[in-house]
Amino acid sequence: MSKSKEQGIKDSYDVVIIGAGNGGLTAAAELAMRGVNLLLLEQHNLPGGFASSFVRGRFEFETSLHELYDWGPESNKGGTRRLLERYELDSEFVAVPEAYRLIVTNPDDYIDVVMPFGIDAYLDAIEKAVPGCRDSVRSFFDLAQEIDIATSFLGRSRGNPDQEVLLKEHSNFLKTAAYSVEEIEDALNIPEKAKGILNAYWLYLGIPTNRVNSTLFTSMVYGYILKGAYIPKFRSHDYTTALDAKIREFGGKIEYNTKVEKILVENGKIIGVETSNGDKIKTNHVISNASPTLTYNNLIHPKSEVPEIAYKEINARRHGISTFVVYMGLDATAEELGLKEYSYFISNIMNTEELYEELHNLEIPNVQATICLNNAIPDCSPPGTCIVSITSAFLPGAWDDVKLEEYFTVKNKIAEGLINNFEKATGAPIREHIEEIEVATPQTISRFTRAYNGVVYGYEPDSWDSIVPRLAMMNDDKHIDGLEFCGGHGKRAHGYSSSLKDGQTAALLTLQDLQKKGELK
Amino acid sequence: MNEEKEKLDITIKSNTRDLFAFTKLVPNRKKRFERASSDPITKDPMNELAVRLHPNRQYLVINEIKDETKSAKTFKLTPDPDSNTKELAYFRAGQYLSLKVQVNGVMITRPYSISSSPSDALKGFYEITIRKEEQGFLTEYIWNNWRKGTKVVSSGPEGYFYFEPLRDLKQIVGIAGGSGITPFRSMAKAIIDDTLNAKLTLLYGSSDEEDIIFYHEFKEMEKNYPSKIKIVHVLSCDVVSLEGCEQGFISKDIIEKYCNPPSSTFFVCGPQIMYEFVEAELKKLNLPTKLIRREAFGEVKDILTFPDFPKEVAEKTFKMKVQIGNSCKEVPAIATESVLVALERAHINPPSKCRSGECGFCRSLLIDGKVYINPVSDWRKGGDKRFNYFHPCASYPITDLEIIVPRDF
């Protein structure tokens, strides 16, 4: 163990980062590595935000991650992997065995397929499930590849892409950027059932395929199928704590249990922050891992410094889903239960719009994404046991009228329904093997992360507010001098990968600003 | 991908319209922003629910004190009218409150199971039942100072020692020792008022007749709800005169005499010494792990009883450099006392709730030195173990230390 360079909280910092979620952590790591004097403040007593873990009995559960996107194998590293490798993190990641098993239970829509990673293998499997669809699905991947290249180009351009290059080299990207994925799939004549299989990942973005922006969705599917999906070997808390260790090693200061109450602004410029512990810290730069919704509505002080347009932007956008998770430690192995896959997408019907609309109601959702962790990490729980977690979602408002005394009953009823749906779809008798169980609702999300209204998925990525216009407008969306945002509500939309990368981007933009103003010591 | 493939040229509506749609993305987004309402958002319903269910602090006042036995009292707590605690957080029978009490200038926390029913919380009160310990630093203080009207600060309801209908069998067998009966009183009341759909058979160990807490109350409940509540007293004194009592300890034979082990879920709550005995007895029954739930028993009374604790440091007091917020202090830390106790003695008050290593609220970073962590209280996450985070309430200094401790909030 090395002797620390740690010091107490000082009176002023070059940069204060609010929130140690995925974005806040990479923002801090990037700046600390470059020697910037920074303070990272987190209201909870752990790093990670959604990227965490918790222990019950003999089990340590992954809180929210299903599959890390854009990680990739040693031979074909993705951007997220390259980013975390910059910081030489001491944390292991392992590959998920298959893309997913999709089960649609209603007889009219019935599907039960296991889809592999690798584009050719995926095409073989989808052709087998839906004969004759291969060429159309191949076009989808060809297009996805072009879009992926184009979005990297756009990402590098920092909001100022060369229009000529765009037109000449990325025309298919341009022509699809304003459309939903369903419009693209129809233009490519992908058969209904093949669309259903291809759209299985929709819950990861949380809006139906007739609205979700094609750029974002195709990049996601392409990224997963091409490079595979990865997860941290020792749960997300391991890599977020590894980031914490690196930030400290680079000389950054982290303070947990410290909620920022005010971002002090004077004449449109940040001058400091105040915390729940009474700290008054001078700074001209804040990177907020809290959403614009919370930052503008609750943190900017005085309120007269919040420009009208900031409220308008928030109100124009639609807050995304919150999650509902049933975590279970089972006293039987995955093999004994007949669970062969890591990732299960299960729903009664294929229509994502109907499935989404149902999430307004406080009823048992008909859609779930379930993982059996041991099928990716065999020894993640003691011998003779396994970990299964069922995730579903609710839209803002669904839980608003729950009375205190009903809360535990309601959440148990929904958990039970999701367990029943999983048992019916897979035939695995999990209920009788529950040794540990914990249920997280939108309230739980709010309790631990303080995310606005328990929202997990940031702002919904309809085409009008998807990554293309967000990136193109990233310089327009700034309203207070010295304020940057990072995280799941950010420029790259939500998801672990997006948030991690967005943190780095926010760090680089802040650094640029510091250099421009000659504020670096 | 196939390199020789034909160049894809996609058209959604028409070439011109598709490109036009792209060029309109940014202007349209701006237009949508312009048209939107500029009202601030003032409601955050999930956060409001979270604060009601899990308040960081509850400001309470002692409304009534009842003597249960010579050494046990029940304190009825209601919201302090001078505070912003207007209602009490609802809970699940079996959960505890972590009380924050200043004793002779030292701020300490202690977990106490709630002994009243969850529905009582909705009516505006909690009850906690405390037994005076012979060398109890805190209970001595409470006996001398707590009166009707005394203000008490508590956490929200905490802990995982509650009946979980998705996991547990409807027949609960409670195994309690001493003041370990308190969560079962809450469960029994919840069963009677239908908050909890289960049955309870309670095997309750006391040293003698006079030590039995809630004797009459449980007898009454048993009489009125014979199909739901049953209590068996197990007394360890030599002569047992009380009718219908067992003499000795809660053994396998006693368990089998009154219960049907494979069709029951066991809930165990009592002092550390009782756990050790009961654990061994339950082991003989060969039950699946899922059928046995244990309440954390608080701080280990005597760390020297753990065979792997390095005995050679037992008499030592180490130097501990503590960084908290913007201050840095050096304080003494006795090897046989937890790091948390050393911090509290030095008037450093990190957050803490369970004092059993379980809740992780006091999670701190070990910068330098070594601590002994007792294996039964090591509930840390894998990542915390790898990166030297530790829980001061379940860790003991065995060298000089340098640590970073979070502030309470």
Side-chain angles (χ1 to χ4, degrees), chain B residues 342-353:
Chain B
L343 291 168
E344 286 173 343
R345 283 190 194 283
H347 306 283
I348 298 170
N349 304 304
S352 74
K353 281 179 185 164

Side-chain angles (χ1 to χ4, degrees), chain A residues 180-183 207-212 352-353 462:
Chain A
S180 72
V181 71
E182 206 156 285
E183 286 169 301
I207 65 170
T209 51
N210 64 339
R211 285 207 286 122
V212 71
T352 58
E353 197 183 355
D462 286 87

Side-chain angles (χ1 to χ4, degrees), chain A residues 2-17:
Chain A
S2 62
K3 288 271 183 185
S4 74
K5 294 175 268 181
E6 292 273 356
Q7 295 174 327
I9 302 172
K10 295 182 293 186
D11 297 339
S12 84
Y13 286 88
D14 291 338
V15 182
V16 172
I17 298 167

Side-chain angles (χ1 to χ4, degrees), chain B residues 174-203:
Chain B
I175 298 185
S179 59
I181 192 171
T182 51
F184 297 110
R185 181 184 186 241
S186 179
M187 287 185 200
K189 283 173 172 280
I191 288 170
I192 288 169
D193 69 25
D194 279 333
T195 312
L196 195 57
N197 181 13
K199 297 173 180 184
L200 172 68
T201 298
L202 183 61
L203 307 178

Side-chain angles (χ1 to χ4, degrees), chain B residues 46-78:
Chain B
M46 285 306 99
N47 193 39
E48 286 155 28
L49 181 61
V51 170
R52 292 179 72 197
L53 281 166
H54 305 284
N56 184 34
R57 296 244 203 293
Q58 301 190 87
Y59 295 92
L60 310 171
V61 62
I62 297 172
N63 181 280
E64 203 180 302
I65 302 175
K66 186 183 166 203
D67 287 316
E68 298 289 352
T69 66
K70 275 184 185 162
S71 61
K73 289 177 197 281
T74 292
F75 298 88
K76 185 174 180 182
L77 305 167
T78 53

Side-chain angles (χ1 to χ4, degrees), chain B residues 153-307:
Chain B
V153 179
S154 117
S155 70
E158 292 285 333
Y160 316 120
F161 189 69
Y162 51 78
F163 180 82
E164 169 51 71
L166 294 172
R167 175 196 60 210
D168 299 326
L169 301 171
K170 284 215 161 63
Q171 177 64 58
I172 300 173
V173 173
I175 298 185
S179 59
I181 192 171
T182 51
F184 297 110
R185 181 184 186 241
S186 179
M187 287 185 200
K189 283 173 172 280
I191 288 170
I192 288 169
D193 69 25
D194 279 333
T195 312
L196 195 57
N197 181 13
K199 297 173 180 184
L200 172 68
T201 298
L202 183 61
L203 307 178
Y204 179 28
S206 303
S207 48
D208 57 45
E209 228 175 282
E210 293 208 324
D211 255 1
I212 298 174
I213 306 174
F214 307 132
Y215 179 80
H216 295 291
E217 208 176 331
F218 264 94
K219 274 282 165 242
E220 196 68 16
M221 288 195 274
E222 195 177 27
K223 198 177 92 194
N224 295 336
Y225 302 91
S227 62
K228 288 180 169 181
I229 309 286
K230 178 170 178 58
I231 186 160
V232 177
H233 292 284
V234 183
L235 302 180
S236 60
C237 52
D238 296 336
V239 184
V240 171
S241 54
L242 202 64
E243 209 185 316
C245 283
E246 291 285 344
Q247 196 265 328
F249 295 97
I250 301 169
S251 62
K252 170 177 172 281
D253 292 344
I254 289 181
I255 294 169
E256 285 184 314
K257 182 173 167 187
Y258 293 100
C259 321
N260 183 11
S263 12
S264 315
T265 296
F266 288 80
F267 279 76
V268 187
C269 183
Q272 192 185 339
I273 188 152
M274 186 206 80
Y275 273 82
E276 284 153 21
F277 183 83
V278 170
E279 283 292 297
E281 295 302 301
L282 285 172
K283 213 168 182 178
K284 296 178 194 163
L285 293 168
N286 248 329
L287 296 168
T289 311
K290 61 176 280 180
L291 293 184
I292 306 172
R293 318 298 310 169
R294 299 166 184 82
E295 177 60 314
F297 49 70
E299 257 176 60
V300 167
K301 293 273 181 271
D302 184 1
I303 198 64
L304 293 172
T305 57
F306 285 81

